[in-house]
Amino acid sequence: MSDEWDEDTHATDVEQIQSKLAGERNRATLTVITGSATGRMFKLDGAMTIGRAPVCEIRLDDDGISRNHARVRCDKDTTWIEDLASRNGTFVNGEKIIAATKVGDGDKIQVGRSTVLRFGFADHLDESFHENLVSSALRDGLTKLFNKRYFMERLDSELKFAVRHETALSLLLLDLDHFKQCNDTFGHLAGDAVLATLSGVLSKAVRNEDVVARFGGEELAVILRAINIDGAIQTAERLRKLVENTVIETGGRKLKATVSIGVSGYPSTPAKAIQELIEAADKALYRAKNAGRNRVSR
């Protein structure tokens, strides 16, 4: 084997590494900076459609967004966006576009009435940092559910959408039964394990478009879009049974828990503000607990 320095081979290796790193750095992305999906980052690849339809690669459900609203297309070195005859138009940096328009790093794209996306470039480190930042801002540290701040903002957006489009919206408030007793008997670590485990179970048991959040303490909340009050009661009963049948392993013990659930919904509750919807669900929750717990009430 020769120990001689091969400058040509070395130069080729460096170029390949630099090309790879440049490709990683130049990954085009769209990040939602306002709207119900604030913080979400979409990696762009080829042609992708923005809209409310389930088949859209960039699916956004905010008010004013058409089912197939706009298309973003990434060529080798250039990214374009075009409006797909949407009802409210597509805007780049505040200007309504009428033809395919080139976008550059930092450009703001508005779709619908309240959703703005930022176009930019990111590498895997940027993406990891972004995911951690968004998670810490929107998620509860223990349960990994959405936090109350996000829940309130999302519920407000969903109620406005439901009122404007005359569609159904339901809310579940869930309270773990005798949770203080669990903490007092087995310790707070066991209580944390119960809350974290059941939060994970509930998150997997609902649709992707539903929102599960930690409302406070041992109280959780679920937003059910386009589900009327009767459907919400059925969903709540399914979740109640799921919690009842879940075994939580912690500290060498196997624990079980139950949950009481209050249900409210629009338009059965003619709410114009989220406080009215929350109050109706909260009253239903107290009825469930006063009736003996481990049950659903409306």
Side-chain angles (χ1 to χ4, degrees), residues 243-286:
V243 169
E244 186 179 33
N245 293 326
T246 297
V247 177
I248 301 104
E249 297 187 10
T250 175
R253 301 184 183 90
K254 292 184 177 181
L255 305 178
K256 298 191 75 175
T258 60
V259 65
S260 300
I261 306 177
V263 183
S264 68
Y266 177 87
S268 57
T269 296
K272 300 300 182 183
I274 60 173
Q275 289 76 13
E276 298 172 73
L277 211 57
I278 294 171
E279 182 179 0
D282 195 47
K283 289 180 178 178
L285 173 60
Y286 274 101

Side-chain angles (χ1 to χ4, degrees), residues 112-242:
R113 292 187 175 88
S114 61
T115 301
V116 177
L117 306 99
R118 180 188 181 278
F119 175 77
F121 299 94
D123 60 19
H124 69 284
L125 292 178
D126 293 325
E127 293 167 10
S128 178
F129 174 76
H130 175 82
E131 289 173 2
N132 291 334
L133 187 64
V134 170
S135 179
S136 64
L138 303 181
R139 300 278 181 176
D140 173 67
L142 172 63
T143 63
K144 309 307 178 186
L145 300 177
F146 287 111
N147 58 29
K148 186 174 182 178
R149 176 183 174 184
Y150 177 84
F151 162 79
M152 298 293 280
E153 293 175 352
R154 182 64 180 270
L155 183 61
D156 183 66
S157 173
E158 294 290 353
L159 180 58
K160 289 176 180 176
F161 183 94
V163 171
R164 183 173 284 112
H165 295 277
E166 299 182 345
T167 58
L169 175 69
S170 292
L171 171 64
L172 312 182
L173 286 185
L174 306 84
D175 191 85
L176 293 179
D177 298 326
H178 305 296
F179 189 70
K180 183 178 183 302
Q181 182 179 334
C182 174
N183 280 333
D184 292 343
T185 303
F186 302 109
H188 287 280
L189 291 179
D192 287 350
V194 169
L195 192 55
T197 299
L198 294 180
S199 295
V201 168
L202 292 170
S203 293
K204 295 176 182 177
V206 298
R207 304 170 302 173
N208 289 337
E209 59 263 40
D210 298 330
V211 176
V212 185
R214 187 177 185 183
F215 192 68
E218 67 272 20
E219 199 167 64
L220 310 177
V222 182
I223 302 172
L224 302 172
R225 168 180 265 208
I227 292 183
N228 62 25
I229 191 73
D230 292 330
I233 291 172
Q234 293 177 8
T235 299
E237 183 62 26
R238 177 172 59 84
L239 296 179
R240 184 198 64 77
K241 291 179 180 178
L242 187 61

